[in-house]
PDB file of all heavy atoms in Angstrom:
ATOM      1  N   SER A 433     115.560  53.285 193.540  1.00 97.00           N
ATOM      2  CA  SER A 433     114.820  54.539 193.647  1.00 97.00           C
ATOM      3  C   SER A 433     113.460  54.237 194.261  1.00 97.00           C
ATOM      4  O   SER A 433     112.652  53.507 193.677  1.00 97.00           O
ATOM      5  CB  SER A 433     114.651  55.175 192.270  1.00 97.00           C
ATOM      6  OG  SER A 433     113.953  56.389 192.361  1.00 97.00           O
ATOM      7  N   THR A 434     113.225  54.796 195.444  1.00 97.00           N
ATOM      8  CA  THR A 434     112.012  54.481 196.200  1.00 97.00           C
ATOM      9  C   THR A 434     111.137  55.722 196.348  1.00 97.00           C
ATOM     10  O   THR A 434     111.602  56.760 196.821  1.00 97.00           O
ATOM     11  CB  THR A 434     112.376  53.939 197.593  1.00 97.00           C
ATOM     12  OG1 THR A 434     113.284  52.845 197.441  1.00 97.00           O
ATOM     13  CG2 THR A 434     111.136  53.476 198.337  1.00 97.00           C
ATOM     14  N   THR A 435     109.885  55.606 195.926  1.00 97.00           N
ATOM     15  CA  THR A 435     108.917  56.701 196.054  1.00 97.00           C
ATOM     16  C   THR A 435     107.943  56.367 197.182  1.00 97.00           C
ATOM     17  O   THR A 435     107.429  55.246 197.256  1.00 97.00           O
ATOM     18  CB  THR A 435     108.147  56.919 194.746  1.00 97.00           C
ATOM     19  OG1 THR A 435     109.068  57.127 193.685  1.00 97.00           O
ATOM     20  CG2 THR A 435     107.230  58.128 194.852  1.00 97.00           C
ATOM     21  N   LEU A 436     107.702  57.344 198.068  1.00 97.00           N
ATOM     22  CA  LEU A 436     106.775  57.151 199.184  1.00 97.00           C
ATOM     23  C   LEU A 436     105.650  58.177 199.102  1.00 97.00           C
ATOM     24  O   LEU A 436     105.836  59.275 198.540  1.00 97.00           O
ATOM     25  CB  LEU A 436     107.507  57.276 200.524  1.00 97.00           C
ATOM     26  CG  LEU A 436     108.644  56.267 200.766  1.00 97.00           C
ATOM     27  CD1 LEU A 436     109.990  56.872 200.383  1.00 97.00           C
ATOM     28  CD2 LEU A 436     108.676  55.816 202.227  1.00 97.00           C
ATOM     29  N   ASP A 437     104.519  57.831 199.704  1.00 97.00           N
ATOM     30  CA  ASP A 437     103.348  58.708 199.680  1.00 97.00           C
ATOM     31  C   ASP A 437     102.993  59.117 201.103  1.00 97.00           C
ATOM     32  O   ASP A 437     102.884  58.275 201.996  1.00 97.00           O
ATOM     33  CB  ASP A 437     102.168  57.966 199.038  1.00 97.00           C
ATOM     34  CG  ASP A 437     100.950  58.870 198.877  1.00 97.00           C
ATOM     35  OD1 ASP A 437     100.291  59.177 199.900  1.00 97.00           O
ATOM     36  OD2 ASP A 437     100.671  59.263 197.741  1.00 97.00           O
ATOM     37  N   ILE A 438     102.864  60.443 201.308  1.00 96.00           N
ATOM     38  CA  ILE A 438     102.355  60.960 202.577  1.00 96.00           C
ATOM     39  C   ILE A 438     101.183  61.877 202.241  1.00 96.00           C
ATOM     40  O   ILE A 438     101.373  62.967 201.691  1.00 96.00           O
ATOM     41  CB  ILE A 438     103.434  61.751 203.362  1.00 96.00           C
ATOM     42  CG1 ILE A 438     104.694  60.904 203.587  1.00 96.00           C
ATOM     43  CG2 ILE A 438     102.878  62.230 204.697  1.00 96.00           C
ATOM     44  CD1 ILE A 438     105.812  61.643 204.320  1.00 96.00           C
ATOM     45  N   GLU A 439      99.985  61.386 202.509  1.00 94.00           N
ATOM     46  CA  GLU A 439      98.765  62.163 202.259  1.00 94.00           C
ATOM     47  C   GLU A 439      98.701  62.693 200.824  1.00 94.00           C
ATOM     48  O   GLU A 439      98.340  63.850 200.584  1.00 94.00           O
ATOM     49  CB  GLU A 439      98.660  63.323 203.251  1.00 94.00           C
ATOM     50  CG  GLU A 439      98.401  62.906 204.674  1.00 94.00           C
ATOM     51  CD  GLU A 439      97.044  62.202 204.841  1.00 94.00           C
ATOM     52  OE1 GLU A 439      96.028  62.817 204.483  1.00 94.00           O
ATOM     53  OE2 GLU A 439      97.025  61.042 205.331  1.00 94.00           O
ATOM     54  N   GLY A 440      99.104  61.830 199.871  1.00 94.00           N
ATOM     55  CA  GLY A 440      99.021  62.228 198.468  1.00 94.00           C
ATOM     56  C   GLY A 440     100.241  62.981 197.954  1.00 94.00           C
ATOM     57  O   GLY A 440     100.345  63.240 196.756  1.00 94.00           O
ATOM     58  N   GLU A 441     101.139  63.343 198.846  1.00 96.00           N
ATOM     59  CA  GLU A 441     102.367  64.033 198.425  1.00 96.00           C
ATOM     60  C   GLU A 441     103.483  62.995 198.262  1.00 96.00           C
ATOM     61  O   GLU A 441     103.639  62.101 199.089  1.00 96.00           O
ATOM     62  CB  GLU A 441     102.788  65.086 199.461  1.00 96.00           C
ATOM     63  CG  GLU A 441     101.790  66.212 199.645  1.00 96.00           C
ATOM     64  CD  GLU A 441     101.672  67.106 198.418  1.00 96.00           C
ATOM     65  OE1 GLU A 441     102.574  67.077 197.554  1.00 96.00           O
ATOM     66  OE2 GLU A 441     100.657  67.829 198.306  1.00 96.00           O
ATOM     67  N   LYS A 442     104.239  63.131 197.164  1.00 97.00           N
ATOM     68  CA  LYS A 442     105.267  62.143 196.857  1.00 97.00           C
ATOM     69  C   LYS A 442     106.638  62.583 197.402  1.00 97.00           C
ATOM     70  O   LYS A 442     107.056  63.731 197.212  1.00 97.00           O
ATOM     71  CB  LYS A 442     105.384  61.930 195.341  1.00 97.00           C
ATOM     72  CG  LYS A 442     104.076  61.498 194.673  1.00 97.00           C
ATOM     73  CD  LYS A 442     103.580  60.161 195.200  1.00 97.00           C
ATOM     74  CE  LYS A 442     102.305  59.731 194.474  1.00 97.00           C
ATOM     75  NZ  LYS A 442     101.744  58.484 195.036  1.00 97.00           N
ATOM     76  N   PHE A 443     107.281  61.637 198.051  1.00 97.00           N
ATOM     77  CA  PHE A 443     108.645  61.831 198.550  1.00 97.00           C
ATOM     78  C   PHE A 443     109.520  60.728 197.955  1.00 97.00           C
ATOM     79  O   PHE A 443     109.025  59.704 197.487  1.00 97.00           O
ATOM     80  CB  PHE A 443     108.676  61.753 200.081  1.00 97.00           C
ATOM     81  CG  PHE A 443     108.062  62.944 200.765  1.00 97.00           C
ATOM     82  CD1 PHE A 443     106.674  63.120 200.800  1.00 97.00           C
ATOM     83  CD2 PHE A 443     108.866  63.896 201.381  1.00 97.00           C
ATOM     84  CE1 PHE A 443     106.103  64.204 201.431  1.00 97.00           C
ATOM     85  CE2 PHE A 443     108.303  64.984 202.019  1.00 97.00           C
ATOM     86  CZ  PHE A 443     106.925  65.149 202.047  1.00 97.00           C
ATOM     87  N   ARG A 444     110.836  60.933 197.993  1.00 97.00           N
ATOM     88  CA  ARG A 444     111.709  59.959 197.350  1.00 97.00           C
ATOM     89  C   ARG A 444     113.057  59.877 198.063  1.00 97.00           C
ATOM     90  O   ARG A 444     113.546  60.846 198.638  1.00 97.00           O
ATOM     91  CB  ARG A 444     111.921  60.346 195.885  1.00 97.00           C
ATOM     92  CG  ARG A 444     112.792  59.365 195.083  1.00 97.00           C
ATOM     93  CD  ARG A 444     112.947  59.816 193.645  1.00 97.00           C
ATOM     94  NE  ARG A 444     111.666  59.724 192.930  1.00 97.00           N
ATOM     95  CZ  ARG A 444     111.222  60.609 192.059  1.00 97.00           C
ATOM     96  NH1 ARG A 444     111.935  61.694 191.809  1.00 97.00           N
ATOM     97  NH2 ARG A 444     110.060  60.435 191.449  1.00 97.00           N
ATOM     98  N   PHE A 445     113.637  58.665 198.015  1.00 96.00           N
ATOM     99  CA  PHE A 445     115.051  58.523 198.378  1.00 96.00           C
ATOM    100  C   PHE A 445     115.699  57.554 197.400  1.00 96.00           C
ATOM    101  O   PHE A 445     115.025  56.692 196.807  1.00 96.00           O
ATOM    102  CB  PHE A 445     115.233  58.067 199.832  1.00 96.00           C
ATOM    103  CG  PHE A 445     114.898  56.628 200.105  1.00 96.00           C
ATOM    104  CD1 PHE A 445     115.847  55.617 199.933  1.00 96.00           C
ATOM    105  CD2 PHE A 445     113.625  56.262 200.545  1.00 96.00           C
ATOM    106  CE1 PHE A 445     115.543  54.290 200.191  1.00 96.00           C
ATOM    107  CE2 PHE A 445     113.312  54.936 200.809  1.00 96.00           C
ATOM    108  CZ  PHE A 445     114.275  53.942 200.627  1.00 96.00           C
ATOM    109  N   ARG A 446     117.022  57.706 197.203  1.00 96.00           N
ATOM    110  CA  ARG A 446     117.766  56.826 196.298  1.00 96.00           C
ATOM    111  C   ARG A 446     118.970  56.240 197.026  1.00 96.00           C
ATOM    112  O   ARG A 446     119.564  56.886 197.879  1.00 96.00           O
ATOM    113  CB  ARG A 446     118.267  57.602 195.064  1.00 96.00           C
ATOM    114  CG  ARG A 446     117.182  57.923 194.049  1.00 96.00           C
ATOM    115  CD  ARG A 446     117.816  58.483 192.769  1.00 96.00           C
ATOM    116  NE  ARG A 446     116.817  58.710 191.729  1.00 96.00           N
ATOM    117  CZ  ARG A 446     116.169  59.845 191.550  1.00 96.00           C
ATOM    118  NH1 ARG A 446     116.392  60.856 192.380  1.00 96.00           N
ATOM    119  NH2 ARG A 446     115.290  59.977 190.580  1.00 96.00           N
ATOM    120  N   ARG A 447     119.312  55.029 196.653  1.00 95.00           N
ATOM    121  CA  ARG A 447     120.530  54.383 197.128  1.00 95.00           C
ATOM    122  C   ARG A 447     121.249  53.791 195.909  1.00 95.00           C
ATOM    123  O   ARG A 447     120.606  53.323 194.956  1.00 95.00           O
ATOM    124  CB  ARG A 447     120.223  53.257 198.124  1.00 95.00           C
ATOM    125  CG  ARG A 447     119.612  53.722 199.428  1.00 95.00           C
ATOM    126  CD  ARG A 447     120.658  54.393 200.333  1.00 95.00           C
ATOM    127  NE  ARG A 447     120.093  54.703 201.644  1.00 95.00           N
ATOM    128  CZ  ARG A 447     119.447  55.805 201.943  1.00 95.00           C
ATOM    129  NH1 ARG A 447     119.243  56.707 200.991  1.00 95.00           N
ATOM    130  NH2 ARG A 447     118.995  56.029 203.164  1.00 95.00           N
ATOM    131  N   ARG A 448     122.595  53.807 195.965  1.00 95.00           N
ATOM    132  CA  ARG A 448     123.371  53.220 194.864  1.00 95.00           C
ATOM    133  C   ARG A 448     124.455  52.330 195.450  1.00 95.00           C
ATOM    134  O   ARG A 448     125.143  52.725 196.395  1.00 95.00           O
ATOM    135  CB  ARG A 448     123.998  54.316 193.999  1.00 95.00           C
ATOM    136  CG  ARG A 448     124.581  53.758 192.698  1.00 95.00           C
ATOM    137  CD  ARG A 448     124.934  54.884 191.745  1.00 95.00           C
ATOM    138  NE  ARG A 448     126.283  55.359 191.918  1.00 95.00           N
ATOM    139  CZ  ARG A 448     127.125  55.629 190.916  1.00 95.00           C
ATOM    140  NH1 ARG A 448     126.740  55.467 189.671  1.00 95.00           N
ATOM    141  NH2 ARG A 448     128.328  56.080 191.155  1.00 95.00           N
ATOM    142  N   ARG A 449     124.562  51.137 194.883  1.00 95.00           N
ATOM    143  CA  ARG A 449     125.621  50.241 195.357  1.00 95.00           C
ATOM    144  C   ARG A 449     126.397  49.695 194.162  1.00 95.00           C
ATOM    145  O   ARG A 449     125.874  49.580 193.050  1.00 95.00           O
ATOM    146  CB  ARG A 449     125.046  49.106 196.184  1.00 95.00           C
ATOM    147  CG  ARG A 449     124.153  48.128 195.431  1.00 95.00           C
ATOM    148  CD  ARG A 449     123.546  47.120 196.402  1.00 95.00           C
ATOM    149  NE  ARG A 449     122.623  46.200 195.727  1.00 95.00           N
ATOM    150  CZ  ARG A 449     121.797  45.395 196.378  1.00 95.00           C
ATOM    151  NH1 ARG A 449     121.762  45.410 197.713  1.00 95.00           N
ATOM    152  NH2 ARG A 449     120.998  44.582 195.717  1.00 95.00           N
ATOM    153  N   VAL A 450     127.649  49.359 194.429  1.00 95.00           N
ATOM    154  CA  VAL A 450     128.523  48.851 193.370  1.00 95.00           C
ATOM    155  C   VAL A 450     128.292  47.353 193.206  1.00 95.00           C
ATOM    156  O   VAL A 450     128.193  46.602 194.177  1.00 95.00           O
ATOM    157  CB  VAL A 450     130.004  49.157 193.681  1.00 95.00           C
ATOM    158  CG1 VAL A 450     130.477  48.461 194.947  1.00 95.00           C
ATOM    159  CG2 VAL A 450     130.893  48.783 192.512  1.00 95.00           C
ATOM    160  N   THR A 451     128.156  46.912 191.959  1.00 95.00           N
ATOM    161  CA  THR A 451     128.035  45.475 191.677  1.00 95.00           C
ATOM    162  C   THR A 451     129.322  44.930 191.062  1.00 95.00           C
ATOM    163  O   THR A 451     129.564  43.731 191.099  1.00 95.00           O
ATOM    164  CB  THR A 451     126.860  45.214 190.719  1.00 95.00           C
ATOM    165  OG1 THR A 451     127.022  45.996 189.527  1.00 95.00           O
ATOM    166  CG2 THR A 451     125.544  45.584 191.385  1.00 95.00           C
ATOM    167  N   HIS A 452     130.117  45.836 190.467  1.00 95.00           N
ATOM    168  CA  HIS A 452     131.423  45.439 189.932  1.00 95.00           C
ATOM    169  C   HIS A 452     132.326  46.667 189.966  1.00 95.00           C
ATOM    170  O   HIS A 452     132.042  47.668 189.306  1.00 95.00           O
ATOM    171  CB  HIS A 452     131.282  44.914 188.500  1.00 95.00           C
ATOM    172  CG  HIS A 452     132.595  44.542 187.873  1.00 95.00           C
ATOM    173  ND1 HIS A 452     133.377  43.492 188.322  1.00 95.00           N
ATOM    174  CD2 HIS A 452     133.266  45.093 186.829  1.00 95.00           C
ATOM    175  CE1 HIS A 452     134.472  43.415 187.597  1.00 95.00           C
ATOM    176  NE2 HIS A 452     134.429  44.372 186.675  1.00 95.00           N
ATOM    177  N   LYS A 453     133.415  46.612 190.736  1.00 95.00           N
ATOM    178  CA  LYS A 453     134.263  47.800 190.929  1.00 95.00           C
ATOM    179  C   LYS A 453     135.016  48.190 189.662  1.00 95.00           C
ATOM    180  O   LYS A 453     135.279  49.365 189.424  1.00 95.00           O
ATOM    181  CB  LYS A 453     135.247  47.554 192.071  1.00 95.00           C
ATOM    182  CG  LYS A 453     134.587  47.507 193.437  1.00 95.00           C
ATOM    183  CD  LYS A 453     135.627  47.332 194.526  1.00 95.00           C
ATOM    184  CE  LYS A 453     134.965  47.303 195.909  1.00 95.00           C
ATOM    185  NZ  LYS A 453     135.961  47.101 196.987  1.00 95.00           N
ATOM    186  N   GLY A 454     135.392  47.218 188.840  1.00 96.00           N
ATOM    187  CA  GLY A 454     136.093  47.544 187.603  1.00 96.00           C
ATOM    188  C   GLY A 454     137.314  48.411 187.848  1.00 96.00           C
ATOM    189  O   GLY A 454     138.106  48.170 188.762  1.00 96.00           O
ATOM    190  N   TRP A 455     137.436  49.460 187.031  1.00 97.00           N
ATOM    191  CA  TRP A 455     138.614  50.334 187.121  1.00 97.00           C
ATOM    192  C   TRP A 455     138.733  51.033 188.465  1.00 97.00           C
ATOM    193  O   TRP A 455     139.840  51.382 188.897  1.00 97.00           O
ATOM    194  CB  TRP A 455     138.574  51.369 185.998  1.00 97.00           C
ATOM    195  CG  TRP A 455     137.444  52.360 186.128  1.00 97.00           C
ATOM    196  CD1 TRP A 455     136.193  52.225 185.630  1.00 97.00           C
ATOM    197  CD2 TRP A 455     137.478  53.617 186.807  1.00 97.00           C
ATOM    198  NE1 TRP A 455     135.425  53.325 185.957  1.00 97.00           N
ATOM    199  CE2 TRP A 455     136.188  54.190 186.675  1.00 97.00           C
ATOM    200  CE3 TRP A 455     138.449  54.312 187.508  1.00 97.00           C
ATOM    201  CZ2 TRP A 455     135.863  55.419 187.222  1.00 97.00           C
ATOM    202  CZ3 TRP A 455     138.137  55.546 188.060  1.00 97.00           C
ATOM    203  CH2 TRP A 455     136.860  56.088 187.916  1.00 97.00           C
ATOM    204  N   MET A 456     137.602  51.263 189.160  1.00 96.00           N
ATOM    205  CA  MET A 456     137.633  52.003 190.420  1.00 96.00           C
ATOM    206  C   MET A 456     138.428  51.273 191.509  1.00 96.00           C
ATOM    207  O   MET A 456     138.934  51.901 192.431  1.00 96.00           O
ATOM    208  CB  MET A 456     136.215  52.279 190.908  1.00 96.00           C
ATOM    209  CG  MET A 456     135.500  53.353 190.113  1.00 96.00           C
ATOM    210  SD  MET A 456     133.930  53.806 190.869  1.00 96.00           S
ATOM    211  CE  MET A 456     133.570  55.329 190.003  1.00 96.00           C
ATOM    212  N   GLU A 457     138.532  49.965 191.382  1.00 95.00           N
ATOM    213  CA  GLU A 457     139.305  49.193 192.352  1.00 95.00           C
ATOM    214  C   GLU A 457     140.796  49.473 192.216  1.00 95.00           C
ATOM    215  O   GLU A 457     141.578  49.215 193.125  1.00 95.00           O
ATOM    216  CB  GLU A 457     139.032  47.698 192.132  1.00 95.00           C
ATOM    217  CG  GLU A 457     139.618  46.804 193.201  1.00 95.00           C
ATOM    218  CD  GLU A 457     139.228  45.350 193.006  1.00 95.00           C
ATOM    219  OE1 GLU A 457     138.501  45.034 192.030  1.00 95.00           O
ATOM    220  OE2 GLU A 457     139.643  44.514 193.832  1.00 95.00           O
ATOM    221  N   HIS A 458     141.176  50.033 191.067  1.00 96.00           N
ATOM    222  CA  HIS A 458     142.597  50.220 190.768  1.00 96.00           C
ATOM    223  C   HIS A 458     142.988  51.696 190.676  1.00 96.00           C
ATOM    224  O   HIS A 458     144.077  52.019 190.230  1.00 96.00           O
ATOM    225  CB  HIS A 458     142.932  49.494 189.459  1.00 96.00           C
ATOM    226  CG  HIS A 458     142.449  48.084 189.442  1.00 96.00           C
ATOM    227  ND1 HIS A 458     143.065  47.078 190.150  1.00 96.00           N
ATOM    228  CD2 HIS A 458     141.350  47.521 188.844  1.00 96.00           C
ATOM    229  CE1 HIS A 458     142.404  45.951 189.979  1.00 96.00           C
ATOM    230  NE2 HIS A 458     141.358  46.192 189.198  1.00 96.00           N
ATOM    231  N   TYR A 459     142.074  52.549 191.090  1.00 96.00           N
ATOM    232  CA  TYR A 459     142.359  53.998 191.074  1.00 96.00           C
ATOM    233  C   TYR A 459     141.962  54.556 192.434  1.00 96.00           C
ATOM    234  O   TYR A 459     140.799  54.913 192.665  1.00 96.00           O
ATOM    235  CB  TYR A 459     141.570  54.685 189.954  1.00 96.00           C
ATOM    236  CG  TYR A 459     141.988  56.118 189.702  1.00 96.00           C
ATOM    237  CD1 TYR A 459     143.249  56.417 189.202  1.00 96.00           C
ATOM    238  CD2 TYR A 459     141.119  57.174 189.969  1.00 96.00           C
ATOM    239  CE1 TYR A 459     143.636  57.726 188.965  1.00 96.00           C
ATOM    240  CE2 TYR A 459     141.488  58.482 189.739  1.00 96.00           C
ATOM    241  CZ  TYR A 459     142.752  58.752 189.230  1.00 96.00           C
ATOM    242  OH  TYR A 459     143.130  60.051 189.002  1.00 96.00           O
ATOM    243  N   PRO A 460     142.899  54.615 193.371  1.00 95.00           N
ATOM    244  CA  PRO A 460     142.572  54.941 194.770  1.00 95.00           C
ATOM    245  C   PRO A 460     142.172  56.394 195.016  1.00 95.00           C
ATOM    246  O   PRO A 460     141.902  56.762 196.158  1.00 95.00           O
ATOM    247  CB  PRO A 460     143.883  54.609 195.507  1.00 95.00           C
ATOM    248  CG  PRO A 460     144.954  54.734 194.478  1.00 95.00           C
ATOM    249  CD  PRO A 460     144.336  54.330 193.181  1.00 95.00           C
ATOM    250  N   PHE A 461     142.109  57.198 193.973  1.00 94.00           N
ATOM    251  CA  PHE A 461     141.820  58.618 194.168  1.00 94.00           C
ATOM    252  C   PHE A 461     140.358  58.964 193.882  1.00 94.00           C
ATOM    253  O   PHE A 461     139.992  60.132 193.832  1.00 94.00           O
ATOM    254  CB  PHE A 461     142.738  59.462 193.273  1.00 94.00           C
ATOM    255  CG  PHE A 461     144.190  59.148 193.457  1.00 94.00           C
ATOM    256  CD1 PHE A 461     144.875  58.421 192.506  1.00 94.00           C
ATOM    257  CD2 PHE A 461     144.864  59.539 194.600  1.00 94.00           C
ATOM    258  CE1 PHE A 461     146.211  58.108 192.669  1.00 94.00           C
ATOM    259  CE2 PHE A 461     146.197  59.230 194.780  1.00 94.00           C
ATOM    260  CZ  PHE A 461     146.876  58.512 193.812  1.00 94.00           C
ATOM    261  N   ARG A 462     139.531  57.955 193.690  1.00 90.00           N
ATOM    262  CA  ARG A 462     138.126  58.195 193.393  1.00 90.00           C
ATOM    263  C   ARG A 462     137.254  57.428 194.390  1.00 90.00           C
ATOM    264  O   ARG A 462     137.428  56.223 194.565  1.00 90.00           O
ATOM    265  CB  ARG A 462     137.807  57.753 191.966  1.00 90.00           C
ATOM    266  CG  ARG A 462     136.464  58.202 191.430  1.00 90.00           C
ATOM    267  CD  ARG A 462     136.405  59.702 191.224  1.00 90.00           C
ATOM    268  NE  ARG A 462     137.395  60.202 190.326  1.00 90.00           N
ATOM    269  CZ  ARG A 462     137.254  60.280 188.996  1.00 90.00           C
ATOM    270  NH1 ARG A 462     136.140  59.867 188.436  1.00 90.00           N
ATOM    271  NH2 ARG A 462     138.205  60.788 188.242  1.00 90.00           N
ATOM    272  N   LYS A 463     136.324  58.122 195.032  1.00 88.00           N
ATOM    273  CA  LYS A 463     135.443  57.486 196.005  1.00 88.00           C
ATOM    274  C   LYS A 463     134.418  56.602 195.292  1.00 88.00           C
ATOM    275  O   LYS A 463     133.877  56.970 194.265  1.00 88.00           O
ATOM    276  CB  LYS A 463     134.715  58.558 196.830  1.00 88.00           C
ATOM    277  CG  LYS A 463     133.820  58.007 197.913  1.00 88.00           C
ATOM    278  CD  LYS A 463     133.084  59.137 198.639  1.00 88.00           C
ATOM    279  CE  LYS A 463     132.095  58.580 199.642  1.00 88.00           C
ATOM    280  NZ  LYS A 463     131.311  59.645 200.313  1.00 88.00           N
ATOM    281  N   ILE A 464     134.168  55.417 195.872  1.00 87.00           N
ATOM    282  CA  ILE A 464     133.194  54.489 195.286  1.00 87.00           C
ATOM    283  C   ILE A 464     131.899  54.550 196.089  1.00 87.00           C
ATOM    284  O   ILE A 464     131.904  54.362 197.307  1.00 87.00           O
ATOM    285  CB  ILE A 464     133.744  53.044 195.291  1.00 87.00           C
ATOM    286  CG1 ILE A 464     135.072  52.961 194.523  1.00 87.00           C
ATOM    287  CG2 ILE A 464     132.728  52.080 194.697  1.00 87.00           C
ATOM    288  CD1 ILE A 464     135.730  51.600 194.568  1.00 87.00           C
ATOM    289  N   ASP A 465     130.788  54.837 195.396  1.00 82.00           N
ATOM    290  CA  ASP A 465     129.473  54.801 196.056  1.00 82.00           C
ATOM    291  C   ASP A 465     129.091  53.348 196.314  1.00 82.00           C
ATOM    292  O   ASP A 465     128.978  52.558 195.368  1.00 82.00           O
ATOM    293  CB  ASP A 465     128.398  55.438 195.161  1.00 82.00           C
ATOM    294  CG  ASP A 465     128.628  56.934 194.992  1.00 82.00           C
ATOM    295  OD1 ASP A 465     129.245  57.518 195.886  1.00 82.00           O
ATOM    296  OD2 ASP A 465     128.192  57.484 193.969  1.00 82.00           O
ATOM    297  N   ASP A 466     128.913  52.981 197.556  1.00 88.00           N
ATOM    298  CA  ASP A 466     128.517  51.604 197.874  1.00 88.00           C
ATOM    299  C   ASP A 466     127.593  51.642 199.091  1.00 88.00           C
ATOM    300  O   ASP A 466     127.999  51.365 200.220  1.00 88.00           O
ATOM    301  CB  ASP A 466     129.747  50.741 198.143  1.00 88.00           C
ATOM    302  CG  ASP A 466     129.416  49.253 198.085  1.00 88.00           C
ATOM    303  OD1 ASP A 466     128.299  48.912 197.649  1.00 88.00           O
ATOM    304  OD2 ASP A 466     130.266  48.436 198.490  1.00 88.00           O
ATOM    305  N   GLU A 467     126.345  52.024 198.841  1.00 92.00           N
ATOM    306  CA  GLU A 467     125.382  52.205 199.922  1.00 92.00           C
ATOM    307  C   GLU A 467     124.567  50.934 200.152  1.00 92.00           C
ATOM    308  O   GLU A 467     124.357  50.135 199.235  1.00 92.00           O
ATOM    309  CB  GLU A 467     124.447  53.370 199.571  1.00 92.00           C
ATOM    310  CG  GLU A 467     125.176  54.698 199.415  1.00 92.00           C
ATOM    311  CD  GLU A 467     124.269  55.793 198.894  1.00 92.00           C
ATOM    312  OE1 GLU A 467     123.646  55.591 197.831  1.00 92.00           O
ATOM    313  OE2 GLU A 467     124.188  56.846 199.552  1.00 92.00           O
TER     314      GLU A 467
END
Side-chain angles (χ1 to χ4, degrees):
S433 181
T434 307
T435 305
L436 300 95
D437 185 287
I438 305 178
E439 291 296 303
E441 297 293 342
K442 303 298 182 184
F443 288 74
R444 182 180 292 140
F445 73 87
R446 285 189 176 91
R447 294 286 186 273
R448 191 168 90 136
R449 66 185 177 192
V450 63
T451 55
H452 178 66
K453 290 183 179 179
W455 67 271
M456 286 188 165
E457 188 175 0
H458 310 285
Y459 190 66
F461 306 105
R462 192 68 59 87
K463 183 183 175 183
I464 302 176
D465 293 334
D466 196 10
E467 298 172 305

